[in-house]
Amino acid sequence: AQSVAQPEDQVNVAEGNPLTVKCTYSVSGNPYLFWYVQYPNRGLQFLLKYITGDNLVKGSYGFEAEFNKSQTSFHLKKPSALVSDSALYFCAVRVEGTGRRALTFGSGTRLQVQP
Amino acid sequence: GAVVSQHPSWVICKSGTSVKIECRSLDFQATTMFWYRQFPKQSLMLMATSNEGSKATYEQGVEKDKFLINHASLTLSTLTVTSAHPEDSSFYICSASTRGLNTGELFFGEGSRLTVL
């Protein structure tokens, strides 16, 4: 079985400050990891993914994430937060080679950026 | 990026009626589509995997006869909530996977909010 944990329900950060949204995973096999963002009453927008290669992945809107195999983590980061980054963020995982293409999502973390 | 269109965005219906939600891939062929359900302030729960031309695969605990899924073409999957009840009220989101891209991200529709009175 695969699972994703997002330990923080909400993260508060001041505009201009760096932000981190945490994600850890548990899988049997090699993980494919994803971050999505959701605005109110909207679907999910893809931010970035890790499949293989460089552990630091850069994505949309200035976001990046670092894959850490030893800590089974894939934290989302941004050097300077914007008020418009305020939204719900989901980490998701799929396992290589299982044939299961659906994603398993974490519980979500609400990011609140204060002006 | 690939575009997935979902319709309707909002639907309100009376208890006992059926509601159909459409999910279309607009600029790519989606051999597989996924239907998720999201409760308020909660994560997305996979309901079923819809494969073009074959029966959907439902997750454990999801009633097949309640949530009818049809994937008649490479660009359209439908979810029909039959004999809807207030507990079926939720946000339903579809997503699509492009052919052959097992490493690829899923593309999501904008979601459909169902309210059953």
Side-chain angles (χ1 to χ4, degrees):
Chain A
Q2 57 202 45
S3 64
V4 177
Q6 292 180 244
E8 303 154 316
D9 289 337
Q10 180 155 329
V11 169
N12 298 307
V13 64
E15 187 174 30
N17 284 359
L19 68 87
T20 299
V21 182
K22 296 179 180 178
C23 171
T24 58
Y25 64 90
S26 176
V27 300
S28 298
N30 292 324
Y32 298 153
L33 294 155
F34 305 81
W35 274 102
Y36 286 85
V37 59
Q38 184 182 34
Y39 295 97
N41 294 310
R42 304 291 294 275
L44 275 66
Q45 296 179 30
F46 169 75
L47 282 179
L48 51 79
K49 67 181 178 183
Y50 171 82
I51 303 301
T52 186
D54 194 346
N55 289 343
L56 183 63
V57 179
K58 294 186 182 297
S60 306
Y61 312 119
F63 284 94
E64 59 187 31
E66 186 166 12
F67 171 64
N68 188 316
K69 188 172 184 177
S70 63
Q71 297 186 5
T72 62
S73 68
F74 190 56
H75 301 330
L76 181 70
K77 299 182 180 184
K78 187 173 182 180
S80 179
L82 299 173
V83 173
S84 57
D85 292 330
S86 299
L88 187 57
Y89 290 80
F90 288 100
C91 182
V93 69
R94 177 196 292 151
V95 181
E96 176 190 22
T98 62
R100 180 176 172 88
R101 301 172 74 181
L103 296 179
T104 298
F105 287 87
S107 55
T109 298
R110 186 164 300 281
L111 173 66
Q112 193 69 41
V113 181
Q114 285 113 9
Chain B
V3 179
V4 176
S5 173
Q6 197 171 332
H7 178 81
S9 301
W10 299 82
V11 57
I12 300 173
C13 69
K14 293 181 179 180
S15 185
T17 61
S18 294
V19 174
K20 180 184 285 188
I21 300 170
E22 293 187 347
C23 179
R24 294 180 184 273
S25 57
L26 297 186
D27 52 0
F28 67 101
Q29 292 183 329
T31 53
T32 306
M33 289 185 174
F34 305 93
W35 287 95
Y36 287 87
R37 182 174 180 177
Q38 186 179 29
F39 292 99
K41 298 184 179 180
Q42 293 190 29
S43 187
L44 283 76
M45 303 300 298
L46 180 67
M47 298 175 65
T49 301
S50 168
N51 296 298
E52 186 265 337
S54 64
K55 291 184 178 180
T57 303
Y58 290 80
E59 295 298 298
Q60 191 172 7
V62 177
E63 298 177 61
K64 300 178 183 181
D65 295 332
K66 162 68 91 174
F67 300 101
L68 300 179
I69 291 173
N70 183 277
H71 194 155
S73 76
L74 286 171
T75 59
L76 173 65
S77 176
T78 60
L79 167 67
T80 302
V81 183
T82 62
S83 186
H85 291 283
E87 58 265 31
D88 298 325
S89 298
S90 192
F91 193 56
Y92 294 89
I93 308 177
C94 72
S95 65
S97 172
T98 54
R99 188 195 301 268
L101 285 181
N102 285 315
T103 60
E105 63 272 27
L106 295 183
F107 303 99
F108 285 82
E110 289 293 294
S112 299
R113 183 163 299 285
L114 170 64
T115 301
V116 185
L117 303 176

